[in-house]
Amino acid sequence: MKNIRLSFIILFIGLSLLWLLTEDFSLQGHGFWPLRTTMVHYSGILAMGAMSVAMLLAMRPVRIERFFDGLDKTYRLHKWLGISALVLGILHWGWARIPKWLVGWGWLERPARKGAAQSADTFYGYLHSMRGFAEGIGEWAFYAAALLLVLALSKRVPYRWFFKTHRLLALAYLVLVVHSSILLPPAYWESAIGPLMILLMLAASVAAGVSLTRRVGRRHQVVGRIDELHYHRDNHVLRVGIDLDGPWPGHLAGQFAFVTFDAQEGPHPFSICSAWHNDGKLAFSIKGLGDYTRSLPERLRIGNPVTVEGPYGCFDFRGSKPQQIWIAGGIGIAPFIARLQALAPTRGGGNVTLFYSTSAPDRQFIERIRQLAAQARVQLHVLVTHQDGRLTPERMRQLAPQWKRCDIWFCGPAGFARDLRDDLQERGLPPEDFHQELFNMR
């Protein structure tokens, strides 16, 4: 998370510094209207900078995944930038539109007109002649982008509608690129901020085109067919085995993939719950948490076509400490099952303690975990909530007194992760030794 925060801060500080070096405040004058012009420019630069980087991150860039500690963390930065772009866009719109309304209502005096417009024969003159067009399309693109961003942030919007509508943001972004390019002040073109913004917008426009043509992650997609279905009724977990038709690059235990069972629904991220044996087979344990995942046991059939995209993620059990503690809540056990399978042949889990907490136990499901843990020599603690109570930070520390010498790997409810992380860090655990899967892609 440190690199996410650092990147977020550097982006806005960097854009602000370049803008400050460009803006000549001595020529702006004093009063409300010069301030309004300055704030329109500044908020526009920040809003388009945030939206451009967010658009680039939406391409699921594997090359920078390690820097952000996984695609799940990369999407967290994508979300922060989207929220920032929305807030800054509202400020930009407010500075641009509200003063005009106040003039119309007689509450503000209309600003004095400056010198004659530039000749349309020049580049800057041509851009000036297009200002009205740029302002009009920019305003409507802002309304569309704001609505789409609100829909994307609302958990009440079903995933299938999020998947369909979120892509339209790319179209709104392309219109905003035209708006921004035309209205970029001439002084910006002749300094560092102008070329930087043009480069950002060009790169993000290419990304928008990739999104609109549905080619995001295309190079990492492999088609296959379902060859195994096993539904655990007591904990509502469906195990889906897939036989891939094309080459899979292999994955590390703990990684995830986007799986498309229905093209209309779109790809959903699921943890891979099988180790890779170079045999073209993958497995996913899918918990029925929403309308779509709850319907999968009735909808899926052996032989159904599937598209798998990945692998992604850095939840790969690479740590610096001699021992590890794994903590799984509910379906958060999936990446640990894959790791148990990878360790079982070599019995290499003697330095690992696994806590599995569940409120919906399934005897067959738990027995499979017990067998894998025994084969891998992993010390296992299964806690069924209504029988054994909740797993608290205090209880974890009591059952694993060696925790200070361990890397902590957590996959489960966000609230429990926060309590556990805060508790352990207050007692001396370095932040980099707590590894968490942020399995929330919107």
Side-chain angles (χ1 to χ4, degrees):
M1 295 295 284
K2 181 176 69 173
N3 286 344
I4 293 177
R5 296 189 184 96
L6 187 62
S7 301
F8 184 82
I9 293 170
I10 287 176
L11 172 66
F12 288 110
I13 290 179
L15 290 175
S16 298
L17 289 176
L18 289 176
W19 173 80
L20 284 170
L21 291 173
T22 302
E23 198 75 17
D24 191 345
F25 295 99
S26 64
L27 299 178
Q28 294 288 351
H30 301 285
F32 174 77
W33 290 104
L35 173 64
R36 179 247 186 187
T37 299
T38 299
M39 295 309 298
V40 165
H41 293 165
Y42 182 48
S43 59
I45 288 290
L46 294 185
M48 284 305 294
M51 198 168 184
S52 297
V53 177
M55 190 66 64
L56 291 170
L57 293 179
M59 296 299 99
R60 302 171 190 159
V62 175
R63 292 182 180 180
I64 65 171
E65 195 180 9
R66 179 64 59 178
F67 177 76
F68 290 119
D69 195 28
L71 185 64
D72 54 324
K73 315 296 191 307
T74 306
Y75 266 101
R76 182 60 57 92
L77 177 58
H78 170 81
K79 180 178 179 179
W80 289 356
L81 289 172
I83 294 172
S84 300
L86 175 60
V87 173
L88 290 164
I90 292 172
L91 291 174
H92 179 75
W93 172 86
W95 280 107
R97 295 298 301 169
I98 294 176
K100 294 181 179 180
W101 296 345
L102 296 178
V103 169
W105 298 336
W107 295 1
L108 267 182
E109 185 177 347
R110 187 182 301 275
R113 289 187 176 273
K114 296 187 179 179
Q118 301 182 57
S119 170
D121 294 335
T122 67
F123 175 68
Y124 295 133
Y126 173 74
L127 292 181
H128 185 81
S129 69
M130 297 288 290
R131 287 184 65 87
F133 167 75
E135 289 174 352
I137 64 171
E139 183 173 359
W140 285 106
F142 162 73
Y143 295 147
L147 175 61
L148 292 169
L149 283 168
V150 170
L151 289 175
L153 294 170
S154 175
K155 297 298 179 63
R156 295 185 178 182
V157 177
Y159 184 89
R160 63 182 179 275
W161 290 110
F162 160 78
F163 172 71
K164 293 176 180 178
T165 60
H166 199 56
R167 189 184 298 114
L168 296 176
L169 265 172
L171 184 59
Y173 174 79
L174 291 175
V175 177
L176 290 172
V177 167
V178 176
H179 163 85
S180 302
S181 300
I182 293 174
L183 297 179
L184 200 68
Y188 288 17
W189 288 91
E190 301 168 2
S191 63
I193 190 68
L196 174 63
M197 290 303 299
I198 293 301
L199 283 174
L200 270 178
M201 291 189 294
L202 281 175
S205 295
V206 172
V210 171
S211 176
L212 287 170
T213 54
R214 303 189 179 189
R215 294 171 54 221
V216 175
R218 180 71 60 85
R219 289 184 299 173
H220 305 290
Q221 292 179 357
V222 182
V223 297
R225 295 188 177 276
I226 297 174
D227 68 350
E228 177 193 354
L229 288 171
H230 185 87
Y231 184 54
H232 298 273
R233 296 189 177 277
D234 291 341
N235 62 359
H236 309 291
V237 172
L238 176 67
R239 177 182 169 86
V240 181
I242 297 173
D243 186 12
L244 299 175
D245 296 333
W248 178 253
H251 63 271
L252 298 174
Q255 292 189 295
F256 69 91
F258 289 91
V259 184
T260 304
F261 296 114
D262 179 353
Q264 295 300 314
E265 177 69 20
H268 283 250
F270 299 115
S271 287
I272 303 170
C273 71
S274 59
W276 177 242
H277 299 298
N278 202 30
D279 56 359
K281 293 185 179 296
L282 298 177
F284 298 88
S285 290
I286 302 172
K287 175 81 170 182
L289 297 173
D291 292 342
Y292 173 69
T293 50
R294 280 196 293 265
S295 71
L296 291 181
E298 286 74 38
R299 297 173 61 176
L300 299 185
R301 297 290 183 271
I302 299 292
N304 282 3
V306 178
T307 300
V308 181
E309 177 196 332
Y312 296 110
C314 295
F315 195 82
D316 53 15
F317 303 97
R318 297 177 183 178
S320 59
K321 296 291 186 66
Q323 300 181 60
Q324 295 187 355
I325 293 175
W326 304 345
I327 303 172
I331 196 54
I333 191 64
F336 300 110
I337 293 176
R339 184 60 175 165
L340 287 172
Q341 291 180 13
L343 293 174
T346 62
R347 298 180 60 79
N351 63 335
V352 177
T353 300
L354 168 60
F355 292 89
Y356 172 44
S357 178
T358 177
S359 59
D362 181 279
R363 184 185 59 80
Q364 188 180 30
F365 189 83
I366 292 176
E367 183 57 31
R368 173 59 175 159
I369 295 172
R370 291 189 187 278
Q371 291 174 1
L372 287 172
Q375 292 169 11
R377 294 177 55 244
V378 167
Q379 183 180 0
L380 174 65
H381 298 278
V382 177
L383 291 94
V384 178
T385 304
H386 66 269
Q387 296 176 356
D388 309 306
R390 293 187 177 276
L391 177 64
T392 63
E394 294 78 12
R395 193 170 185 183
M396 190 281 293
R397 286 188 278 104
Q398 291 172 0
L399 293 172
Q402 79 282 13
W403 65 270
K404 288 187 177 180
R405 303 190 301 275
C406 299
D407 278 299
I408 311 295
W409 295 84
F410 180 94
C411 189
F416 181 41
R418 183 175 56 252
D419 293 342
L420 180 64
R421 182 180 60 248
D422 292 347
D423 179 90
L424 296 181
Q425 290 181 5
E426 285 176 5
R427 288 166 171 77
L429 183 75
E432 61 271 16
D433 290 343
F434 189 92
H435 310 271
Q436 179 187 0
E437 186 87 291
L438 299 179
F439 224 68
N440 189 350
M441 298 296 171
R442 54 182 294 200

Coordinates of all heavy atoms in Angstrom, one line a residue, residues 311-373:
P311 N -2.4 -15.3 -15.4 CA -2.7 -15.0 -14.0 C -2.3 -13.7 -13.5 O -1.4 -13.0 -14.1 CB -1.8 -16.1 -13.3 CG -0.6 -16.2 -14.1 CD -1.1 -16.1 -15.5
Y312 N -2.9 -13.2 -12.4 CA -2.6 -11.9 -11.8 C -2.4 -12.1 -10.3 O -2.8 -13.1 -9.7 CB -3.7 -10.9 -12.1 CG -4.0 -10.6 -13.5 CD1 -5.2 -11.0 -14.2 CD2 -3.1 -9.8 -14.2 CE1 -5.4 -10.7 -15.5 CE2 -3.4 -9.4 -15.6 CZ -4.5 -9.9 -16.2 OH -4.8 -9.6 -17.5
G313 N -1.8 -11.0 -9.8 CA -1.6 -11.0 -8.3 C -0.2 -11.3 -7.8 O 0.5 -12.1 -8.5
C314 N 0.1 -10.8 -6.7 CA 1.4 -11.0 -6.0 C 1.2 -11.6 -4.6 O 2.1 -11.5 -3.8 CB 2.2 -9.7 -5.9 SG 2.7 -9.0 -7.5
F315 N 0.1 -12.2 -4.4 CA -0.2 -13.0 -3.2 C 0.4 -14.4 -3.3 O -0.3 -15.4 -3.5 CB -1.7 -13.1 -2.9 CG -2.1 -13.5 -1.5 CD1 -2.1 -12.5 -0.5 CD2 -2.4 -14.8 -1.3 CE1 -2.5 -12.9 0.8 CE2 -2.8 -15.2 0.0 CZ -2.9 -14.2 1.0
D316 N 1.8 -14.4 -3.3 CA 2.5 -15.6 -3.8 C 3.4 -16.2 -2.7 O 4.2 -17.0 -3.0 CB 3.3 -15.2 -5.0 CG 4.2 -14.0 -4.8 OD1 4.4 -13.6 -3.6 OD2 4.7 -13.5 -5.8
F317 N 3.2 -15.8 -1.5 CA 3.8 -16.4 -0.3 C 5.4 -16.3 -0.3 O 6.1 -17.0 0.3 CB 3.5 -17.9 -0.2 CG 2.0 -18.2 -0.2 CD1 1.3 -18.5 -1.3 CD2 1.3 -18.1 1.0 CE1 -0.1 -18.7 -1.3 CE2 0.0 -18.3 1.1 CZ -0.8 -18.6 0.0
R318 N 5.8 -15.2 -1.0 CA 7.2 -14.9 -1.0 C 7.5 -13.9 0.2 O 6.9 -12.8 0.2 CB 7.7 -14.2 -2.3 CG 7.6 -15.1 -3.5 CD 8.0 -14.3 -4.7 NE 7.8 -15.1 -6.0 CZ 8.1 -14.6 -7.2 NH1 8.5 -13.4 -7.3 NH2 7.9 -15.4 -8.2
G319 N 8.2 -14.4 1.2 CA 8.4 -13.5 2.4 C 9.9 -13.6 2.8 O 10.7 -14.4 2.4
S320 N 10.2 -12.7 3.8 CA 11.6 -12.7 4.3 C 11.8 -13.4 5.6 O 12.9 -13.6 6.1 CB 12.0 -11.2 4.4 OG 11.1 -10.5 5.3
K321 N 10.7 -13.7 6.3 CA 10.7 -14.3 7.6 C 10.9 -15.9 7.5 O 10.4 -16.5 6.5 CB 9.5 -14.0 8.4 CG 9.3 -12.5 8.7 CD 10.4 -12.0 9.7 CE 10.1 -10.6 10.1 NZ 8.9 -10.4 10.9
P322 N 11.5 -16.5 8.5 CA 11.6 -18.0 8.4 C 10.3 -18.8 8.5 O 10.3 -19.9 8.2 CB 12.6 -18.3 9.6 CG 12.4 -17.2 10.5 CD 12.1 -15.9 9.7
Q323 N 9.3 -18.1 9.1 CA 8.0 -18.8 9.3 C 6.9 -18.0 8.7 O 7.0 -16.8 8.5 CB 7.8 -19.1 10.8 CG 8.9 -20.0 11.4 CD 8.6 -20.3 12.9 OE1 7.5 -20.9 13.2 NE2 9.4 -19.9 13.7
Q324 N 5.8 -18.7 8.5 CA 4.6 -18.0 7.9 C 3.4 -18.4 8.7 O 3.2 -19.5 9.2 CB 4.4 -18.3 6.5 CG 5.5 -17.8 5.6 CD 5.2 -18.1 4.1 OE1 4.2 -18.6 3.7 NE2 6.1 -17.5 3.2
I325 N 2.4 -17.4 8.8 CA 1.1 -17.6 9.4 C 0.1 -17.3 8.3 O 0.1 -16.2 7.7 CB 0.8 -16.8 10.6 CG1 1.7 -17.3 11.8 CG2 -0.6 -16.9 11.1 CD1 1.6 -16.4 13.0
W326 N -0.8 -18.2 8.0 CA -1.8 -18.0 7.0 C -3.1 -17.8 7.7 O -3.5 -18.7 8.6 CB -1.9 -19.1 6.0 CG -0.6 -19.4 5.3 CD1 0.5 -18.7 5.2 CD2 -0.4 -20.6 4.5 NE1 1.4 -19.3 4.4 CE2 0.9 -20.5 4.0 CE3 -1.2 -21.8 4.2 CZ2 1.5 -21.5 3.2 CZ3 -0.6 -22.8 3.4 CH2 0.7 -22.6 2.9
I327 N -3.9 -16.8 7.3 CA -5.2 -16.6 8.0 C -6.3 -16.5 6.9 O -6.2 -15.6 6.1 CB -5.2 -15.4 8.9 CG1 -4.1 -15.5 9.9 CG2 -6.6 -15.2 9.6 CD1 -3.9 -14.3 10.8
A328 N -7.3 -17.4 6.9 CA -8.3 -17.4 5.9 C -9.7 -17.3 6.5 O -10.0 -17.9 7.5 CB -8.2 -18.7 5.1
G329 N -10.5 -16.4 6.0 CA -11.8 -16.2 6.4 C -12.8 -16.6 5.3 O -12.8 -16.0 4.2
G330 N -13.7 -17.6 5.5 CA -14.6 -18.0 4.5 C -14.0 -18.5 3.2 O -13.0 -19.3 3.3
I331 N -14.4 -17.9 2.1 CA -13.9 -18.3 0.8 C -12.4 -17.8 0.6 O -11.8 -18.2 -0.4 CB -14.8 -17.9 -0.3 CG1 -14.5 -18.6 -1.6 CG2 -14.7 -16.4 -0.5 CD1 -14.5 -20.1 -1.5
G332 N -11.9 -17.0 1.5 CA -10.5 -16.6 1.5 C -9.6 -17.8 1.7 O -8.4 -17.6 1.5
I333 N -10.1 -19.0 1.9 CA -9.2 -20.2 2.0 C -8.7 -20.6 0.6 O -7.7 -21.3 0.5 CB -10.0 -21.3 2.6 CG1 -9.1 -22.5 3.0 CG2 -11.1 -21.8 1.7 CD1 -8.0 -22.2 4.0
A334 N -9.3 -20.1 -0.5 CA -9.0 -20.6 -1.8 C -7.5 -20.5 -2.2 O -6.9 -21.5 -2.6 CB -9.9 -19.9 -2.9
P335 N -6.9 -19.3 -2.0 CA -5.4 -19.3 -2.4 C -4.6 -20.2 -1.5 O -3.5 -20.7 -2.0 CB -5.0 -17.8 -2.2 CG -6.1 -17.3 -1.3 CD -7.3 -18.0 -1.6
F336 N -5.0 -20.4 -0.3 CA -4.2 -21.3 0.6 C -4.4 -22.8 0.2 O -3.5 -23.6 0.4 CB -4.7 -21.1 2.1 CG -4.5 -19.7 2.5 CD1 -5.5 -18.8 2.8 CD2 -3.2 -19.2 2.7 CE1 -5.4 -17.5 3.2 CE2 -3.0 -17.9 3.1 CZ -4.1 -17.0 3.4
I337 N -5.5 -23.1 -0.3 CA -5.7 -24.5 -0.9 C -4.7 -24.7 -2.0 O -4.1 -25.8 -2.1 CB -7.2 -24.7 -1.3 CG1 -8.1 -24.7 -0.2 CG2 -7.3 -26.0 -2.1 CD1 -9.6 -24.8 -0.5
A338 N -4.6 -23.8 -2.9 CA -3.6 -23.9 -4.0 C -2.2 -24.1 -3.4 O -1.4 -24.9 -3.9 CB -3.7 -22.7 -4.9
R339 N -1.8 -23.3 -2.4 CA -0.5 -23.4 -1.8 C -0.3 -24.7 -1.1 O 0.8 -25.3 -1.2 CB -0.3 -22.2 -0.9 CG 1.1 -22.2 -0.3 CD 2.2 -22.0 -1.3 NE 3.5 -21.9 -0.7 CZ 4.7 -22.0 -1.4 NH1 4.6 -22.3 -2.7 NH2 5.8 -21.8 -0.8
L340 N -1.3 -25.2 -0.4 CA -1.2 -26.5 0.2 C -1.0 -27.6 -0.8 O -0.1 -28.5 -0.6 CB -2.5 -26.9 1.0 CG -2.7 -26.1 2.3 CD1 -4.1 -26.4 2.8 CD2 -1.7 -26.4 3.3
Q341 N -1.7 -27.5 -2.0 CA -1.4 -28.5 -3.0 C 0.0 -28.4 -3.6 O 0.6 -29.5 -3.9 CB -2.4 -28.3 -4.2 CG -3.9 -28.6 -3.8 CD -4.8 -28.4 -4.9 OE1 -4.4 -28.2 -6.1 NE2 -6.1 -28.4 -4.7
A342 N 0.5 -27.2 -3.6 CA 1.9 -27.1 -4.1 C 2.9 -27.6 -3.2 O 4.0 -28.2 -3.6 CB 2.2 -25.6 -4.4
L343 N 2.6 -27.5 -1.9 CA 3.6 -28.0 -0.8 C 3.4 -29.5 -0.5 O 4.4 -30.1 0.0 CB 3.4 -27.2 0.5 CG 3.8 -25.7 0.4 CD1 3.4 -25.0 1.7 CD2 5.3 -25.5 0.1
A344 N 2.3 -30.0 -0.8 CA 2.0 -31.4 -0.4 C 3.0 -32.4 -0.9 O 3.5 -33.3 -0.2 CB 0.6 -31.8 -0.7
P345 N 3.4 -32.4 -2.2 CA 4.3 -33.4 -2.7 C 5.7 -33.4 -2.0 O 6.3 -34.5 -1.9 CB 4.5 -33.0 -4.2 CG 3.2 -32.3 -4.5 CD 2.9 -31.5 -3.3
T346 N 6.1 -32.2 -1.6 CA 7.4 -32.2 -0.9 C 7.4 -32.1 0.6 O 8.4 -32.0 1.3 CB 8.2 -30.9 -1.4 OG1 7.5 -29.7 -1.1 CG2 8.4 -31.0 -2.9
R347 N 6.1 -32.0 1.1 CA 5.9 -31.9 2.6 C 6.7 -30.7 3.1 O 7.4 -30.7 4.1 CB 6.3 -33.2 3.3 CG 5.5 -34.4 2.9 CD 5.9 -35.6 3.6 NE 5.8 -35.6 5.1 CZ 4.7 -35.7 5.8 NH1 3.5 -35.9 5.1 NH2 4.6 -35.6 7.1
G348 N 6.6 -29.6 2.3 CA 7.4 -28.4 2.6 C 6.8 -27.3 3.5 O 7.2 -26.2 3.4
G349 N 5.7 -27.7 4.2 CA 5.0 -26.7 5.0 C 5.3 -26.7 6.5 O 4.5 -26.2 7.3
G350 N 6.4 -27.2 6.9 CA 6.7 -27.4 8.3 C 6.9 -26.1 9.0 O 6.8 -26.0 10.2
N351 N 7.1 -25.0 8.3 CA 7.2 -23.7 8.9 C 6.0 -22.8 8.8 O 6.0 -21.6 9.0 CB 8.4 -22.9 8.2 CG 8.1 -22.6 6.8 OD1 7.3 -23.3 6.1 ND2 8.7 -21.6 6.2
V352 N 4.8 -23.5 8.6 CA 3.6 -22.7 8.3 C 2.5 -23.1 9.3 O 2.3 -24.3 9.6 CB 3.0 -23.0 6.9 CG1 1.7 -22.3 6.7 CG2 4.1 -22.6 5.8
T353 N 1.8 -22.1 9.8 CA 0.6 -22.3 10.6 C -0.6 -21.7 9.9 O -0.6 -20.5 9.5 CB 0.7 -21.6 12.0 OG1 1.8 -22.2 12.7 CG2 -0.5 -21.9 12.8
L354 N -1.7 -22.5 9.7 CA -2.9 -22.0 9.0 C -4.1 -21.9 9.9 O -4.4 -22.9 10.6 CB -3.2 -23.0 7.8 CG -4.5 -22.8 7.1 CD1 -4.7 -21.4 6.5 CD2 -4.7 -23.9 6.0
F355 N -4.7 -20.7 9.9 CA -6.0 -20.6 10.6 C -7.1 -20.4 9.5 O -7.0 -19.6 8.7 CB -5.9 -19.3 11.4 CG -5.0 -19.3 12.6 CD1 -3.7 -18.9 12.5 CD2 -5.4 -19.8 13.8 CE1 -2.8 -19.0 13.5 CE2 -4.6 -19.8 14.9 CZ -3.3 -19.4 14.8
Y356 N -8.1 -21.3 9.7 CA -9.2 -21.2 8.8 C -10.5 -21.0 9.6 O -10.9 -21.9 10.4 CB -9.3 -22.5 8.0 CG -10.6 -22.6 7.1 CD1 -11.1 -21.5 6.4 CD2 -11.3 -23.8 7.0 CE1 -12.2 -21.6 5.6 CE2 -12.5 -23.9 6.3 CZ -12.9 -22.8 5.6 OH -14.1 -22.9 4.8
S357 N -11.1 -19.8 9.5 CA -12.3 -19.5 10.2 C -13.5 -19.4 9.3 O -13.4 -18.8 8.2 CB -12.1 -18.1 10.9 OG -13.3 -17.7 11.6
T358 N -14.5 -20.1 9.6 CA -15.7 -20.2 8.8 C -17.0 -20.2 9.6 O -17.0 -20.8 10.7 CB -15.7 -21.4 7.9 OG1 -16.9 -21.5 7.1 CG2 -15.5 -22.7 8.7
S359 N -18.0 -19.6 9.1 CA -19.3 -19.6 9.7 C -20.3 -20.5 9.0 O -21.4 -20.7 9.5 CB -19.9 -18.2 9.8 OG -20.1 -17.7 8.4
A360 N -19.8 -21.1 7.9 CA -20.7 -22.1 7.2 C -19.8 -23.3 6.9 O -19.3 -23.5 5.8 CB -21.2 -21.4 5.9
P361 N -19.6 -24.2 7.9 CA -18.8 -25.3 7.7 C -19.4 -26.4 6.8 O -20.6 -26.6 6.8 CB -18.6 -25.9 9.1 CG -19.8 -25.5 9.8 CD -20.2 -24.2 9.2
D362 N -18.6 -27.0 6.0 CA -19.0 -28.1 5.1 C -18.0 -29.3 5.4 O -16.8 -29.1 5.3 CB -18.9 -27.8 3.6 CG -19.3 -28.9 2.7 OD1 -18.5 -29.8 2.5 OD2 -20.5 -28.9 2.3
R363 N -18.5 -30.4 5.9 CA -17.6 -31.4 6.4 C -16.6 -31.9 5.4 O -15.4 -32.1 5.6 CB -18.5 -32.6 6.9 CG -17.7 -33.8 7.6 CD -18.6 -34.9 7.9 NE -19.2 -35.4 6.7 CZ -18.7 -36.3 5.8 NH1 -17.4 -36.7 6.0 NH2 -19.3 -36.7 4.8
Q364 N -17.1 -32.2 4.2 CA -16.3 -32.7 3.1 C -15.2 -31.6 2.7 O -14.0 -32.0 2.5 CB -17.1 -33.1 1.9 CG -16.4 -33.8 0.8 CD -17.3 -34.2 -0.4 OE1 -18.2 -33.5 -0.7 NE2 -16.9 -35.2 -1.0
F365 N -15.6 -30.4 2.7 CA -14.7 -29.3 2.3 C -13.6 -29.2 3.3 O -12.4 -29.1 3.0 CB -15.5 -28.0 2.2 CG -14.7 -26.8 1.7 CD1 -14.6 -26.6 0.3 CD2 -14.1 -25.9 2.5 CE1 -13.9 -25.6 -0.2 CE2 -13.4 -24.8 2.0 CZ -13.3 -24.7 0.6
I366 N -14.0 -29.2 4.6 CA -13.0 -29.1 5.7 C -12.1 -30.3 5.7 O -10.8 -30.2 5.9 CB -13.6 -28.8 7.0 CG1 -14.3 -27.5 7.0 CG2 -12.7 -29.0 8.2 CD1 -15.1 -27.2 8.3
E367 N -12.6 -31.5 5.5 CA -11.8 -32.7 5.5 C -10.7 -32.7 4.4 O -9.6 -33.1 4.6 CB -12.7 -33.9 5.3 CG -12.0 -35.2 5.4 CD -11.2 -35.4 6.7 OE1 -11.7 -34.9 7.8 OE2 -10.2 -36.1 6.7
R368 N -11.1 -32.1 3.3 CA -10.1 -32.0 2.2 C -8.9 -31.1 2.6 O -7.8 -31.4 2.3 CB -10.8 -31.4 0.9 CG -9.9 -31.1 -0.2 CD -9.1 -32.3 -0.7 NE -8.3 -32.0 -1.9 CZ -7.2 -32.6 -2.3 NH1 -6.8 -33.7 -1.6 NH2 -6.6 -32.3 -3.4
I369 N -9.3 -30.0 3.3 CA -8.2 -29.1 3.8 C -7.4 -29.8 4.8 O -6.1 -29.6 4.8 CB -8.9 -27.8 4.4 CG1 -9.6 -27.0 3.3 CG2 -7.8 -26.9 5.0 CD1 -10.4 -25.9 3.8
R370 N -8.0 -30.5 5.7 CA -7.2 -31.3 6.7 C -6.2 -32.2 6.1 O -5.1 -32.4 6.5 CB -8.2 -32.0 7.7 CG -9.0 -31.1 8.6 CD -9.7 -32.0 9.6 NE -10.6 -31.2 10.4 CZ -10.3 -30.4 11.5 NH1 -9.0 -30.4 11.8 NH2 -11.2 -29.8 12.1
Q371 N -6.7 -32.9 5.0 CA -5.8 -33.9 4.4 C -4.6 -33.2 3.7 O -3.5 -33.7 3.8 CB -6.6 -34.7 3.3 CG -7.7 -35.6 3.9 CD -8.5 -36.3 2.8 OE1 -8.3 -36.0 1.6 NE2 -9.5 -37.1 3.2
L372 N -4.9 -32.1 3.0 CA -3.8 -31.3 2.4 C -2.8 -30.8 3.4 O -1.6 -30.8 3.2 CB -4.4 -30.2 1.5 CG -5.1 -30.6 0.2 CD1 -5.8 -29.4 -0.4 CD2 -4.1 -31.2 -0.8
A373 N -3.4 -30.3 4.5 CA -2.5 -29.7 5.5 C -1.6 -30.8 6.1 O -0.4 -30.6 6.4 CB -3.3 -29.1 6.6

